[in-house]
Amino acid sequence: MYRARDHVENERWLAELQQAADRLELGTAARSRATDLFLSTVSEWDDPSDRDADSRQAVVAASLYAGALIESDQRSQSEVAEAAGVARLTVQQRWKDLLDEAGLEPPTW
């Protein structure tokens, strides 16, 4: 769960998420799920050794991929990475852990 303050503190990143979702032409449900995932887990991903912007951009990408997957509006990791401005490997390495942090079970396929 997240607080209203999390939304305010992450306005920039939520705007980035929406812009990437526009580029991916994601539906409303996938966008909403990605936003919830981002806000629910972004504080878990703040790594003092990482640069803050890189860490949050990675969470944006992982949230988009996972949100689209959950809502059956799937896009490839490469498509999401390109839309979010990160490497495909970033999406690959983060999305399952993001689901786990949100209390969701990643698929086992």
Side-chain angles (χ1 to χ4, degrees):
M1 199 63 181
Y2 53 89
R3 302 164 296 182
R5 186 175 81 181
D6 294 332
H7 196 280
V8 172
E9 290 175 352
N10 289 289
E11 281 182 15
R12 171 187 172 196
W13 301 108
L14 293 172
E16 293 269 344
L17 187 146
Q18 290 303 319
Q19 290 170 358
D22 286 345
R23 288 188 285 275
L24 292 164
E25 298 179 356
L26 289 180
T28 304
R31 290 168 185 257
S32 179
R33 180 70 69 163
T35 299
D36 287 344
L37 287 169
F38 178 83
L39 289 171
S40 296
T41 61
V42 71
S43 64
E44 301 294 327
W45 291 86
D46 288 339
D47 182 350
S49 66
D50 283 348
R51 293 185 340 195
D52 192 50
D54 289 344
S55 179
R56 292 193 190 248
Q57 193 68 35
V59 179
V60 165
S63 297
L64 283 166
Y65 181 75
L69 181 66
I70 290 167
E71 297 299 333
S72 299
D73 197 359
Q74 293 173 286
R75 300 296 189 276
S76 72
Q77 291 178 359
S78 295
E79 289 174 304
V80 172
E82 184 177 330
V86 300
R88 185 197 57 79
L89 187 58
T90 299
V91 176
Q92 181 183 358
Q93 291 176 335
R94 298 244 179 163
W95 76 273
K96 287 182 183 177
D97 289 338
L98 181 131
L99 285 179
D100 187 48
E101 290 294 329
L104 300 170
E105 183 99 10
T108 57
W109 30 255

